[in-house]
Amino acid sequence: MTSSGTPERSPAGDALSVDNASRVNGRTPPNGHDEVARLRQALELANQQLLEATRDAGMAEVATGVLHNVGNVLTSINVTANLLCDRLRDSKVTSLTKVCALLKENSADLPGFFAKDPRAAKLTSYLENLSVTLEKDRQEGLNELATLLKSVSHVKDIIWMQQSYASVSGLVEPIHPPEIIEDALKLSTNALQRHNVQVVREFTETQTARAERHKVLQILVNLISNAKKAMDCKEPSQRKLVIRTGNGPDDTVTIQVVDNGIGIPEANLTRIFSHGFTTRKDGHGFGLHSSALAATQMGGSLTAQSAGPGQGATFTLALPGWKDAPLDGSSPS
Ligand SMILES: Nc1ncnc2c1ncn2[C@@H]1O[C@H](COP(=O)(O)OP(=O)(O)OP(=O)(O)O)[C@@H](O)[C@H]1O
Ligand SMILES: [Mg+2]
């Protein structure tokens, strides 16, 4: 983060190895790739709009989380687009061109060609095989395009969600934990799936919380992202994220994010909330600091528990209940 609060770099930009809309990894796609190029251009534009929208709304923190997610989706879009380009480049359509050339060459006496030329005898089975290959290519190409369109629509969902949260920035309102948890999970779906993280929801009936939606969303996205990274040390089949809701002391509503990852040594349990504290080589040490700050601003708290290295971690977000919290969102006396 820069001192102005804007993200230092765009993870989406990092993830996308596309120089511009018409070049893929240094190669210019052959003609016929217009649709892919158009989609790329639309995505670049959407990403730009997302950045501007989040900056305008002063939601740089959420933008960082959202852009991480958009970046992940763009990475998979890039992979699929590359596959599609390879498929089109290697297409057997050129064999059809050779058949046409052969027929044209013999167009003066086609009956004679079919009667005498040994190549003509093989033509029927050749064309048959070719049609099978082309049909297979077509089907696989369509499947890849469907994946691409699904990813594009996922990006659209993320942007839509971000905008709907931005529009209510600063507003303290009744929050139903499961709804906001589902939104946070939606923003993290792609990364969680890629890391094979099993998500377990343990929702118990809670009272309504009083909080700012975008702040709670930002906190949960941060906690889920940290949990996912903390579980990188685990076998993919063992990675388990539990999200739990409950009623805490003093009429608070709690949301817990529990992972079975790398764990936290006791000495670090409070240090992790300091600005700039990170143990990850690509970390900024910003997520927990801003999340704890946001929790306090809403009259709540964010705390961490861990039985130690290798024992996983539990982060508890406590928010004031709707009945007792002061209307301005400041700490209850
Ligand atoms: N679920 C977790 N399990 C184990 N350690 C964690 C967990 N969440 C956070 N930490 C520790 O707390 C540190 C600070 O987390 P924080 O989210 O503030 O920053 P970061 O993840 O390192 O970087 P970024 O600012 O990019 O999020 C992490 O580097 C890690 O050491
Ligand atoms: Mg983090």
Side-chain angles (χ1 to χ4, degrees):
M1 278 284 172
T2 64
S3 54
S4 65
T6 50
E8 273 171 15
R9 63 195 172 107
S10 151
D14 289 349
L16 194 68
S17 59
V18 180
D19 304 320
N20 56 47
S22 63
R23 287 176 65 78
V24 182
N25 291 343
R27 292 195 308 265
T28 303
N31 290 336
H33 295 189
D34 295 2
E35 183 59 12
V36 176
R38 198 186 59 75
L39 281 171
R40 281 175 180 290
Q41 226 157 13
L43 271 168
E44 287 279 290
L45 186 70
N47 200 25
Q48 195 53 43
Q49 283 169 345
L50 173 66
L51 251 177
E52 280 161 19
T54 48
R55 276 202 194 111
D56 287 348
M59 292 180 65
E61 294 90 349
V62 173
T64 309
V66 170
L67 286 176
H68 264 298
N69 211 277
V70 172
N72 285 340
V73 187
L74 286 178
T75 304
S76 68
I77 286 174
N78 205 27
V79 170
T80 314
N82 275 324
L83 279 175
L84 206 52
C85 283
D86 288 347
R87 181 173 305 287
L88 287 173
R89 201 188 43 248
D90 301 339
S91 167
K92 291 282 177 287
V93 137
T94 47
S95 307
L96 206 54
T97 317
K98 285 183 202 152
V99 173
C100 289
L102 183 65
L103 291 177
K104 203 167 172 192
E105 204 180 288
N106 294 281
S107 57
D109 180 21
L110 277 178
F113 168 71
F114 278 107
K116 291 177 218 142
D117 197 309
R119 287 175 298 175
K122 293 182 194 153
L123 211 53
T124 314
S125 64
Y126 183 78
L127 282 173
E128 242 167 29
N129 288 338
L130 189 60
S131 76
V132 171
T133 308
L134 288 178
E135 175 53 27
K136 188 167 158 268
D137 270 3
R138 190 182 76 95
Q139 206 48 55
E140 287 175 0
L142 279 174
N143 291 344
E144 274 149 20
L145 255 183
T147 309
L148 206 59
L149 289 172
K150 218 166 118 190
S151 298
V152 171
S153 125
H154 187 43
V155 171
K156 267 168 58 186
D157 278 356
I158 293 170
I159 292 172
W160 178 85
M161 201 192 295
Q162 145 67 17
Q163 281 170 341
S164 68
Y165 273 85
S167 64
V168 292
S169 173
L171 183 72
V172 177
E173 56 184 321
I175 303 284
H176 301 285
E179 281 171 24
I180 207 153
I181 292 170
E182 289 307 334
D183 280 352
L185 283 170
K186 211 166 166 189
L187 285 173
S188 317
T189 307
N190 215 265
L192 290 172
Q193 277 176 358
R194 231 163 9 100
H195 287 75
N196 208 43
V197 174
Q198 184 204 349
V199 178
V200 178
R201 293 161 174 83
E202 291 180 1
F203 295 166
T204 44
E205 196 67 34
T206 69
Q207 61 164 319
T208 304
R210 179 190 293 279
E212 287 175 57
R213 299 190 85 78
H214 81 283
K215 282 198 175 128
V216 179
L217 183 77
Q218 171 217 315
I219 295 169
L220 293 179
V221 167
N222 270 324
L223 295 180
I224 293 169
S225 158
N226 280 349
K228 185 207 73 193
K229 286 166 190 157
M231 290 187 285
D232 279 349
C233 62
K234 283 287 234 207
E235 279 292 304
S237 61
Q238 308 286 308
R239 296 171 187 166
K240 187 169 141 191
L241 174 78
V242 179
I243 308 213
R244 199 178 286 147
T245 59
N247 291 305
D250 303 325
D251 262 333
T252 52
V253 176
T254 57
I255 302 176
Q256 288 188 312
V257 177
V258 187
D259 67 70
N260 59 353
I262 195 167
I264 305 169
E266 202 185 339
N268 285 353
L269 277 175
T270 47
R271 286 175 72 203
I272 52 174
F273 293 100
S274 315
H275 189 269
F277 179 87
T278 183
T279 55
R280 297 193 298 105
K281 70 175 187 316
D282 57 346
H284 303 95
F286 175 75
L288 285 181
H289 178 75
S290 68
S291 296
L293 205 65
T296 317
Q297 282 165 355
M298 293 185 290
S301 64
L302 179 64
T303 49
Q305 294 98 40
S306 172
Q311 304 293 306
T314 298
F315 283 82
T316 306
L317 170 65
L319 295 169
W322 178 250
K323 273 185 296 187
D324 299 328
L327 279 167
D328 63 0
S330 62
S331 292
S333 50

